[in-house]
């Protein structure tokens, strides 16, 4: 029997798991903190893989999900701002040299799309758009049964489409991207701006409200908080209407903490989507649903990547 090792690297923690040849229940798994004063993240990651290495089964391949931008074809992290020293870092070779088995690398949001496609809410759909909405907005697209990568694997940055040319500044530096408006950060920044202008609200500037605070206030009916989430939902719908025309998916899967806002976010999103889409044929047989894999999505995405290639 063969086994696969999946690794999910984030700015806060590194998770790894050993999976059997089939099925999605890990044989062993462990998570550690990404940062430690005594060792680099890449050394910690390799040590974690070594610790979990199965004694009986032969390891077929290792899949790694990491924050982008990264080049999945070259196996190089271009720049992971939350991980010290990971700039033009050849992660695939680094892991491959130590363990001597095939290693594949993917952008975490792209692999989340793959995970949902193979094991989660998107099973059976070969045209799928996935968005994760939390601090930022990440995306992944399955198009005609393939993960969409583009020339160097930089495709499907669905959070970085321009919706307001002179809008709020995005984390990437450009103005008016979807991420700058509808992410948790975008919602919090909007509320802070409105509070500074004197908008009435139970929220105050001290301390600055987070997206979670704003959702709680909105659920109690606070008008500014409600308006902020509805605005995020409206722009999300605008973004999605563009993706419908570009990718013609049969399912849109929404993950990430901001989806906890529920209908307050989804109702204006759906209304805008309906209003903006080019024709009703894009909405026929379209499913819009929440993500199904929870916090296992990174590991299962990395598993989906290697199983797809080496099974
Ligand atoms: Zn951006």
């Amino acid at each position: 029997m063969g086994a696969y090792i999946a690794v999910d690297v984030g700015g806060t923690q590194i998770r790894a798991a050993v999976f059997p040849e089939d099925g999605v229940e890990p044989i062993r798994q462990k998570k550690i903190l990404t940062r430690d004063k005594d060792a680099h993240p890449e050394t910690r990651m390799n040590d974690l893989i070594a610790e979990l290495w199965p004694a009986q089964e032969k390891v077929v391949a290792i899949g790694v999900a990491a924050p982008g931008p990264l080049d999945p074809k070259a196996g190089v992290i271009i720049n992971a701002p939350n991980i010290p020293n990971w700039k033009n870092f050849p992660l695939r070779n680094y892991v491959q040299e130590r363990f001597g088995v095939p290693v594949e690398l993917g952008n975490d949001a792209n692999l989340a799309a793959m995970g949902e496609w193979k094991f989660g809410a998107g099973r059976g759909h070969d045209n799928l758009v996935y968005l994760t909405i939390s601090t930022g907005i990440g995306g992944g697209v399955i198009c005609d049964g393939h993960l969409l990568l583009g020339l160097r694997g930089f495709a499907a940055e669905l959070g970085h489409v321009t919706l307001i040319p002179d809008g709020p500044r995005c984390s990437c530096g450009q103005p008016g991207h979807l991420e700058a408006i509808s992410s948790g950060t975008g919602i919090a920044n909007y509320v802070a701006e409105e509070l500074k202008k004197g908008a009435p609200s139970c929220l105050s500037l001290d301390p600055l409200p987070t997206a979670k605070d704003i959702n709680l206030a909105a659920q109690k009916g606070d008008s500014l908080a409600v308006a902020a989430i509805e605005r995020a939902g409206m722009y999300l719908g605008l973004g999605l209407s563009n993706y419908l025309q570009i990718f013609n998916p049969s399912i849109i899967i929404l993950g990430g903490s901001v989806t906890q806002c529920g209908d307050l976010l989804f109702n204006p999103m759906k209304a805008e989507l309906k209003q903006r889409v080019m024709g009703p044929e894009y909405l026929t047989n379209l499913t819009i649903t929440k993500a199904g894999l929870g916090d296992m999505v990174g590991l299962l995405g990395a598993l989906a990547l290697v199983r797809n290639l080496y099974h």
Side-chain angles (χ1 to χ4, degrees), residues 160 170 172 177:
H160 301 275
C170 185
C172 72
H177 281 177

Side-chain angles (χ1 to χ4, degrees), residues 240-278:
L240 292 180
S241 70
N242 289 313
Y243 309 148
L244 287 190
Q245 276 123 216
I246 301 169
F247 304 114
N248 187 202
S250 58
I251 189 166
I252 295 173
I253 300 176
L254 302 169
S257 57
V258 172
T259 60
Q260 285 163 12
C261 295
D263 284 345
L264 215 46
L265 182 80
F266 296 138
N267 286 342
M269 176 193 86
K270 287 176 187 165
E272 188 69 11
L273 179 65
K274 238 182 200 164
Q275 199 190 327
R276 297 276 181 177
V277 75
M278 196 175 126

Side-chain angles (χ1 to χ4, degrees), residues 119-144:
F119 310 124
R123 271 172 297 174
H125 291 266
D126 278 349
N127 289 282
L128 173 160
V129 167
Y130 169 86
L131 270 189
T132 173
I133 313 162
S134 50
T135 314
I137 296 185
V141 173
I142 306 296
C143 190
D144 295 330

Side-chain angles (χ1 to χ4, degrees), residues 137 157 159-162 168-180:
I137 296 185
E157 284 293 354
H160 301 275
V161 292
T162 308
R169 188 74 53 188
C170 185
S171 68
C172 72
Q174 295 290 345
H177 281 177
L178 174 63
E179 173 171 306

Side-chain angles (χ1 to χ4, degrees), residues 88-271:
N88 294 316
F89 177 62
L91 183 95
R92 180 170 62 203
N93 285 350
Y94 181 82
V95 179
Q96 216 157 264
E97 271 165 22
R98 174 145 167 197
F99 297 102
V101 299
V103 177
E104 298 293 335
L105 173 67
N107 167 302
D108 47 13
N110 277 348
L111 294 194
M114 265 202 102
E116 291 288 344
W117 175 41
K118 292 287 179 187
F119 310 124
R123 271 172 297 174
H125 291 266
D126 278 349
N127 289 282
L128 173 160
V129 167
Y130 169 86
L131 270 189
T132 173
I133 313 162
S134 50
T135 314
I137 296 185
V141 173
I142 306 296
C143 190
D144 295 330
H146 295 281
L147 177 69
L148 184 75
L149 287 176
L151 178 66
R152 290 186 63 197
F154 305 153
E157 284 293 354
L158 304 180
H160 301 275
V161 292
T162 308
L163 299 183
I164 311 175
D166 56 354
R169 188 74 53 188
C170 185
S171 68
C172 72
Q174 295 290 345
H177 281 177
L178 174 63
E179 173 171 306
I181 305 163
S182 298
S183 67
T185 314
I187 294 170
N189 287 344
Y190 174 78
V191 165
E193 286 301 314
E194 292 300 305
L195 286 172
K196 279 180 206 157
K197 288 185 210 159
S201 172
C202 70
L203 296 161
S204 73
L205 283 166
D206 187 26
L208 275 175
T210 62
K212 199 176 170 188
D213 301 330
I214 295 162
N215 184 30
L216 283 174
Q219 304 300 339
K220 289 180 196 152
D222 182 80
S223 59
L224 174 61
V226 168
I229 293 170
E230 285 181 343
R231 175 177 179 272
M234 192 270 275
Y235 279 103
L236 186 59
L238 183 54
L240 292 180
S241 70
N242 289 313
Y243 309 148
L244 287 190
Q245 276 123 216
I246 301 169
F247 304 114
N248 187 202
S250 58
I251 189 166
I252 295 173
I253 300 176
L254 302 169
S257 57
V258 172
T259 60
Q260 285 163 12
C261 295
D263 284 345
L264 215 46
L265 182 80
F266 296 138
N267 286 342
M269 176 193 86
K270 287 176 187 165

